[in-house]
Amino acid sequence: AMEDVNAKFVSQKISRTRWRPLPAAALQAPDVFATGSWDNEDNRISFWSVGDLGNGNAGLSGEYQGEPQLLCDIGHNGDVMDMQFLDQERIVVASSTGDVTVFRYHQNNHTLSTNQRWEKAHYHVDQGTSCTGVICNNPDIVSVGEDGRINLFRVDQKDAVRTIDNADSSTLHAVTFLRKTEILTVNSIGQLKIWDLRQQGSKPSQIFYLTSDRVPLQCVDRHPNQQHIVATGGQDGMLSIWDIRQGTMPVSLLNAHEAEMWEVHFHPSNPDHLFTCSEDGSLWHWDASADVTEKPSFLHQGGRSTTYFSHNTINQSVVSAWLSNDPAKDRMEITNLVPHQTLSVNSLDVLGPCLVYGTDAEAIYVNRQLFA
């Protein structure tokens, strides 16, 4: 349903899109998102509102009318390689210059300011090199880079709390928290690694391998409720699902895109839904839920699933969906949410019923009715 999608042309290539988080108990849909740009003369961090409740007569369903509106923006030195909100006011941005910057959003007058910067957090000799990924777990911030370094920062502290200098001999492409003291990284030779930030030294606690092909892994996300389930996306467009409790290889490899997969995200509150976007101009919504609801017996297939039901964890059943012996594509509903082929879809973010994504065609798109 294209009419549910609002587009905005922004005269810059968009490298990252992120929803501003909602307060913990909030019931409303997200209404503000941030974008970062790349490959432009003058790169920017921009904050947008999703549009207006058209002239006060929004209709019974309260749908928003019109395109996203720019609230404020600020210049950014270098390409925006990654970004993540630390909290409702602050967003952490990774730069191709090697800097990691925290910007503050002032809601009262809609302005952005630089809150804190770690210059050349990533570098070769004296030359800044790309910071490729950042992840936050307030007050902690982890960055990874082309230099194979891992930094642990604490917001409002001037120096890194911890740096693992030669963590990796290849480029680290992305990072995510596994739990408070552990992180997952993916690199350019097809490895997924777990690091325990309490351990001294520069060795990972576990290494997982894609295949002997060493296909670069570009992105990683962890299942929000089942922390042993991890999804990664490769340069070859493949989606890999891993169970980090067992083996060193993925549980399943799914043919997905025809070119690099740039981001993979489990839906934070509906994790049987997964979203991937690619250089090939597509954005896929993977729905693994249908199968589970039709076949409850599916939950008792041997010792592989650790499913339990209680009233508030019904969607724990998804676990089995991602780890079943063969989550083959024909058992999963897959929808391409970009009906018209475009240039690379570089980034996406999902929160509640809302999806935002950005492209090299200098456009951002908002879909506020993901599950309609």
Side-chain angles (χ1 to χ4, degrees):
M2 265 319 280
E3 62 276 12
D4 298 336
V5 177
N6 287 319
K8 171 89 179 172
F9 291 91
V10 294
S11 316
Q12 33 184 2
K13 292 182 183 177
I14 298 298
S15 54
R16 283 292 183 261
T17 58
R18 297 289 181 253
W19 287 111
R20 177 178 180 233
L22 292 165
L27 297 173
Q28 79 266 31
D31 55 354
V32 172
F33 64 91
T35 60
S37 71
W38 80 288
D39 197 26
N40 307 292
E41 286 292 302
D42 163 35
N43 289 303
R44 308 194 77 71
I45 306 295
S46 309
F47 274 58
W48 309 83
S49 73
V50 292
D52 300 317
L53 279 165
N55 324 323
N57 53 5
L60 294 173
S61 60
E63 72 272 17
Y64 280 72
Q65 302 298 326
E67 55 183 32
Q69 304 292 314
L70 182 66
L71 293 171
C72 51
D73 63 356
I74 192 170
H76 179 265
N77 188 17
D79 290 339
V80 172
M81 301 297 290
D82 198 11
M83 59 187 202
Q84 206 202 359
F85 277 92
L86 181 76
D87 53 29
Q88 286 195 282
E89 272 65 58
R90 292 173 294 186
I91 191 165
V92 182
V93 183
S95 173
S96 57
T97 63
D99 294 359
V100 175
T101 308
V102 185
F103 292 97
R104 185 178 284 277
Y105 170 56
H106 306 271
Q107 206 182 337
N108 49 359
N109 59 0
H110 296 305
T111 56
L112 277 163
S113 62
T114 304
N115 183 227
Q116 189 171 7
R117 176 173 294 139
W118 292 280
E119 287 186 19
K120 294 206 174 39
H122 296 275
Y123 59 90
H124 281 308
V125 196
D126 288 326
Q127 182 89 8
T129 183
S130 239
C131 174
T132 50
V134 287
I135 194 77
C136 310
N137 186 5
N138 197 354
D140 294 336
I141 299 165
V142 172
S143 74
V144 296
E146 250 175 46
D147 54 0
R149 252 184 207 88
I150 297 174
N151 294 301
L152 171 61
F153 300 108
R154 204 149 285 145
V155 76
D156 302 329
Q157 288 190 23
K158 193 167 148 299
D159 298 314
V161 177
R162 172 97 202 270
T163 295
I164 306 176
D165 262 330
N166 23 16
D168 210 301
S169 54
S170 56
T171 295
L172 289 168
H173 281 150
V175 59
T176 194
F177 274 98
L178 186 55
R179 42 184 73 82
K180 182 120 184 80
T181 56
E182 286 184 301
I183 56 166
L184 282 165
T185 60
V186 291
N187 71 11
S188 60
I189 56 171
Q191 296 170 327
L192 171 70
K193 297 182 183 180
I194 299 179
W195 307 82
D196 184 336
L197 296 172
R198 294 162 303 188
Q199 299 294 321
Q200 291 314 304
S202 57
K203 295 273 183 288
S205 51
Q206 264 178 293
I207 304 182
F208 300 83
Y209 303 88
L210 200 50
T211 52
S212 52
D213 295 346
R214 295 185 162 220
V215 174
L217 290 172
Q218 300 288 2
C219 52
V220 59
D221 196 26
R222 163 178 78 57
H223 191 290
N225 316 335
Q226 299 287 327
Q227 299 183 322
H228 52 276
I229 301 178
V230 175
T232 61
Q235 189 176 49
D236 54 2
M238 291 285 266
L239 172 65
S240 306
I241 306 290
W242 313 69
D243 179 348
I244 58 170
R245 298 168 308 182
Q246 43 185 306
T248 56
M249 309 275 285
V251 180
S252 54
L253 287 170
L254 301 170
N255 272 311
H257 300 278
E258 289 162 31
E260 285 90 349
M261 184 188 294
W262 292 130
E263 291 205 311
V264 56
H265 289 290
F266 284 101
H267 191 286
S269 51
N270 265 331
D272 42 350
H273 296 265
L274 180 92
F275 298 82
T276 59
C277 64
S278 167
E279 177 73 28
D280 68 10
S282 63
L283 190 161
W284 286 13
H285 172 188
W286 306 68
D287 178 358
S289 63
D291 204 59
V292 175
T293 45
E294 287 157 19
K295 308 195 194 75
S297 60
F298 180 67
L299 300 174
H300 311 293
Q301 38 150 322
R304 273 185 79 84
S305 65
T306 50
T307 313
Y308 56 93
F309 281 96
S310 72
H311 292 303
N312 58 354
T313 56
I314 280 303
N315 71 14
Q316 298 280 10
S317 60
V318 294
V319 182
S320 330
W322 294 116
L323 289 191
S324 82
N325 293 327
D326 125 69
K329 274 164 63 170
D330 52 291
R331 277 216 357 252
M332 225 181 270
E333 253 180 81
I334 300 169
T335 317
N336 180 10
L337 300 182
V338 185
H340 48 90
Q341 207 69 5
T342 176
L343 296 175
S344 179
V345 180
N346 294 324
S347 184
L348 71 97
D349 198 23
V350 280
L351 188 58
C354 301
L355 163 74
V356 58
Y357 62 97
T359 72
D360 269 356
E362 307 195 340
I364 46 182
Y365 299 85
V366 176
N367 176 343
R368 298 179 48 79
Q369 300 180 319
L370 260 187
F371 301 110

